[in-house]
Amino acid sequence: MASEPQGSLSRLLEEAGLVNQDMTKALQRDCQELGVPLKQAFISQGIVSEDDILELVAKNQGMEVVSLAGLRVTPELVEQVPPKTARMFRVFPVWYDDTTLKVALSDPFNLSVTDDLHRILDKTVIPVVAPEADIERFIKKYYEGNEVSQMYEDFTEEIYEETGETTDFQDTYSDLDLDPAKKIEEQPAVVRFVDLMFRQAVHDRASDIHVEPQKGQLRVRFRIDGVLHEVPNPPQRWQPAIVSRLKVMSGMDLAEKRVPQDGRIKLNMPGKKLDVRVNCLPSIHGETIVMRILDQSSVLLGLGDVGFLPDTTALFETLIKSPTGIILMTGPTGSGKTTTLYAALGTINTPESKIITVENPVEYQLDGICQAQVNEEIGLDFAAALRTMLRQSPDVIMVGEIRDLVTAEIAIRAALTGHLVFSTLHTNDAPSAPTRLIDMGVKPFLVASALQAAIAQRLIRRICPYCTTEYTPHPEEIAEIGVDPEKFLDRSFVHGEGCERCGDSGYRGRTAIHEIMVVNADIRRMIMDVRSAKEVKRVAVRLGMRSLRMDGWEKVLLNQTTIPEIMRVTQDD
């Protein structure tokens, strides 16, 4: 920002009585040394808020203040300003008609932008004021991100034309922060495709990329919000080159094609660093590769962020602050168990506590926590690592997964000798956890003595906030979930109609539902008697446990998800 706008801003703030001259001069000296805009310094120091600045600037310049958060963005609106122009002038369109265009400016003092836009767009341009961060975010979301989608689709069509093959795929994904590829046209064709595939996956919020050789084609699919979506496929003749490229990037043995391999890729995307776990499995049509995309920034969550409702948050916080015992997270692969345990560790991570984890592999690195990774090739399995961890004098231990009797017994004995132990287990619900441990061979009295709680978790899709619409479900639909529809006759529900931002699915993003079984005296007695999981669940529900389906129903009532989504994910209680 030029000196004149900075002077104008400081003058406005001084006239409004929000700052004084001495304060402004001191900040200006710091800004010159650090190369930071004066506006940013005022806000970061907590002297004034961005809302105060927006109101003053808008009043001074005779402009309207707008919020982009509630803006309904359509393809027609975005097309009013070309991507290059939006990036150059840092503007975003908010309204238009045949002769007029209203744009949000990131620098309201730079009035020459209005004249330049009028000349370029041949329309009357009305400037408005919006938070600078919102404008930057919308530019990335609707211009730079969509350029990646367009490049991916255009390039796929281009290579099909070169090979004489055709595709009728139409891209339905859009809108996530991603900078456009730079100099990608200078790279070899296969390298370009793999690079664009990663960029498109990040842009689409995909958690996994599946590269699957099929009879007559090489299929590529992205898992978005837990559901697989097909994307444009490369020509089948590229299969060996693409697989080889991915194996080289992930550090696999290129010559070995007979046995499964694991690898890892580090991606440096603009503004974020991603870790990609890669697995290669030989199949009858070639090597199938599945890549799990891990975003280091996404794991730093609070308990409310991972889907706990207020009452379950309070209960879970009480459990994880227990001095001893074992707490088990249960659920299938990909249900977010590890993420929830990381959130728990983050909650209790203090300088006074020694926390050690053993994982396979270490998915996210956490500050202040000692993390070890299993390496079975050299004999460092969960059991061996756990024995060593106990000699490190830990207060809290996290075992990535209990999968055998030896690991289970060591974990339980650690819980009985003064340690708090977290781990995961593959069961369908929380009451099945003690039964699973007993089936492994652990003595029932050890399970009953050590187990503090078992928590089942599933991930469900959230309703897309951009196409939320009220509707009235059929009473039979409500009854199917297990509640009395008569109690909800006068209540309105919502669902997503489907829009460009959610790929016409009606869902965007995911949250979790939980089933927390606290082991009290009654449950402990049933574990000792080796009662069935169904009997244990019946008693746990009677004692106040909310099942997965009922926790999902609470989220339906909070307008976070839909009845069909809960029915898809949960089983009958």
Side-chain angles (χ1 to χ4, degrees):
M1 193 176 282
S3 60
E4 183 180 351
Q6 287 198 14
S8 301
L9 176 60
S10 60
R11 177 178 53 80
L12 285 176
L13 293 173
E14 288 169 13
E15 289 175 355
L18 296 174
V19 300
N20 57 47
Q21 287 187 351
D22 293 338
M23 194 183 298
T24 301
K25 288 177 182 177
L27 276 179
Q28 283 177 334
R29 284 195 301 270
D30 293 340
C31 289
Q32 288 173 355
E33 291 177 6
L34 300 174
V36 176
L38 186 61
K39 173 184 171 183
Q40 182 179 331
F42 278 128
I43 296 171
S44 62
Q45 292 287 332
I47 298 170
V48 293
S49 68
E50 186 171 11
D51 290 341
D52 291 334
I53 292 177
L54 287 177
E55 289 181 13
L56 283 172
V57 171
K59 185 176 180 181
N60 178 263
Q61 301 292 330
M63 297 181 187
E64 175 191 359
V65 179
V66 299
S67 170
L68 299 186
L71 182 65
R72 185 171 181 81
V73 182
T74 63
E76 294 76 20
L77 177 64
V78 174
E79 289 170 3
Q80 298 305 307
V81 181
K84 185 177 180 181
T85 304
R87 290 198 302 270
M88 180 186 300
F89 294 104
R90 313 316 295 172
V91 298
F92 194 83
V94 296
W95 178 86
Y96 74 98
D97 62 18
D98 292 340
T99 60
T100 308
L101 176 65
K102 189 181 289 187
V103 296
L105 302 182
S106 61
D107 183 4
F109 286 108
N110 190 0
L111 298 179
S112 63
V113 170
T114 305
D115 297 330
D116 292 336
L117 290 175
H118 171 67
R119 177 176 47 81
I120 294 170
L121 305 175
D122 194 25
K123 279 192 173 187
T124 301
V125 177
I126 302 173
V128 296
V129 182
E132 186 174 350
D134 287 356
I135 295 175
E136 293 290 336
R137 181 165 53 86
F138 271 59
I139 288 172
K140 282 188 176 183
K141 182 180 289 187
Y142 292 104
Y143 288 112
E144 298 174 352
N146 282 343
E147 282 195 347
V148 174
S149 294
Q150 195 60 52
M151 282 191 294
Y152 183 85
E153 187 173 359
D154 289 348
F155 182 63
T156 309
E157 294 294 341
E158 176 187 321
I159 60 179
Y160 267 95
E161 289 173 7
E162 289 176 358
T163 59
E165 300 175 69
T166 59
T167 175
D168 58 359
F169 181 88
Q170 293 183 347
D171 187 14
T172 58
Y173 306 126
S174 60
D175 72 14
L176 199 79
D177 295 356
L178 190 68
D179 282 350
K182 296 179 180 178
K183 298 183 180 178
I184 194 168
E185 66 280 355
E186 299 174 5
Q187 299 172 346
V190 170
V191 176
R192 288 170 63 190
F193 178 82
V194 171
D195 184 79
L196 279 172
M197 179 177 68
F198 280 121
R199 290 172 180 270
Q200 180 68 23
V202 173
H203 166 246
D204 288 349
R205 303 174 294 108
S207 60
D208 303 89
I209 304 173
H210 295 243
V211 180
E212 305 163 322
Q214 305 283 309
K215 185 177 181 180
Q217 67 171 333
L218 178 63
R219 183 168 66 172
V220 179
R221 295 191 289 174
F222 295 164
R223 188 178 294 279
I224 304 169
D225 294 336
V227 179
L228 285 169
H229 298 261
E230 288 198 3
V231 297
N233 300 328
Q236 189 184 25
R237 67 182 182 86
W238 282 22
Q239 179 178 322
I242 290 173
V243 170
S244 296
R245 171 68 177 166
L246 292 172
K247 289 175 73 174
V248 168
M249 290 177 70
S250 56
M252 295 182 186
D253 184 351
L254 196 60
E256 182 57 75
K257 300 181 180 180
R258 301 165 301 167
V259 298
Q261 296 187 68
D262 291 301
R264 182 166 264 179
I265 300 172
K266 290 191 178 295
L267 289 181
N268 292 318
M269 294 291 180
K272 62 172 68 178
K273 292 185 178 180
L274 303 173
D275 218 8
V276 183
R277 282 168 44 191
V278 187
N279 178 265
C280 179
L281 175 70
S283 67
I284 59 173
H285 296 296
E287 293 171 284
T288 296
I289 293 182
V290 176
M291 294 168 278
R292 168 71 59 86
I293 301 172
L294 304 171
D295 185 353
Q296 292 286 342
S297 63
S298 68
V299 75
L300 304 176
L301 303 173
L303 297 180
D305 299 319
V306 297
F308 283 105
L309 294 170
D311 59 334
T312 50
T313 299
L315 175 58
F316 190 61
E317 283 182 335
T318 301
L319 290 169
I320 64 177
K321 290 174 182 175
S322 303
T324 62
I326 185 166
I327 296 173
L328 293 175
M329 291 292 304
T330 76
T333 302
S335 59
K337 301 186 298 295
T338 304
T339 300
T340 300
L341 288 183
Y342 280 148
L345 293 180
T347 301
I348 61 176
N349 184 18
T350 63
E352 293 79 27
S353 299
K354 169 82 169 182
I355 302 176
I356 306 181
T357 74
V358 54
E359 305 168 60
N360 185 25
V362 174
E363 294 187 1
Y364 301 99
Q365 297 178 17
L366 305 176
D367 292 337
I369 293 176
C370 177
Q371 295 173 272
Q373 182 162 305
V374 167
N375 186 347
E376 294 183 353
E377 292 182 2
I378 60 172
L380 183 62
D381 55 14
F382 279 115
L386 191 48
R387 288 191 190 95
T388 303
M389 286 164 60
L390 292 173
R391 293 193 284 271
Q392 294 270 319
S393 185
D395 298 298
V396 180
I397 296 169
M398 187 186 99
V399 184
E401 182 184 347
I402 293 177
R403 58 175 66 168
D404 56 50
L405 174 60
V406 177
T407 306
E409 285 188 331
I410 297 172
I412 284 177
R413 292 187 186 279
L416 291 172
T417 54
H419 303 88
L420 179 61
V421 180
F422 295 101
S423 191
T424 67
L425 201 62
H426 289 288
T427 64
N428 290 327
D429 57 11
S432 299
T435 305
R436 177 80 181 96
L437 290 173
I438 292 170
D439 287 345
M440 283 183 181
V442 182
K443 299 289 190 295
F445 74 91
L446 289 176
V447 177
S449 302
L451 188 61
Q452 290 286 341
I455 302 154
Q457 177 169 305
R458 296 290 188 280
L459 292 179
I460 56 170
R461 292 180 293 174
R462 284 179 175 271
I463 297 170
C464 174
Y466 303 106
C467 59
T468 301
T469 306
E470 287 192 1
Y471 85 111
T472 303
H474 196 279
E476 290 181 1
E477 187 180 358
I478 298 176
E480 190 178 4
I481 209 167
V483 296
D484 183 4
E486 296 293 329
K487 297 179 180 179
F488 302 95
L489 291 178
D490 298 329
R491 181 191 170 91
S492 62
F493 291 78
V494 300
H495 65 175
E497 276 193 329
C499 64
E500 187 182 48
R501 300 191 199 187
C502 62
D504 291 322
S505 68
Y507 299 97
R508 183 177 171 84
R510 288 192 290 178
T511 187
I513 53 176
H514 300 92
E515 178 179 271
I516 303 180
M517 185 186 77
V518 179
V519 180
N520 56 19
D522 292 332
I523 302 295
R524 218 176 292 280
R525 197 176 304 111
M526 296 185 75
I527 295 172
M528 293 274 288
D529 295 339
V530 197
R531 304 287 284 274
S532 70
K534 188 173 291 187
E535 290 177 283
V536 173
K537 183 168 188 174
R538 193 180 303 119
V539 172
V541 170
R542 193 181 73 236
L543 293 173
M545 183 186 79
R546 188 162 60 221
S547 68
L548 282 168
R549 180 164 289 186
M550 287 300 102
D551 198 60
W553 173 246
E554 292 294 325
K555 286 185 165 59
V556 171
L557 296 178
L558 291 171
N559 294 337
Q560 294 182 13
T561 190
T562 64
I563 294 174
E565 178 66 5
I566 297 302
M567 297 301 296
R568 181 183 73 87
V569 172
T570 63
Q571 61 185 5
D572 190 8
D573 293 331

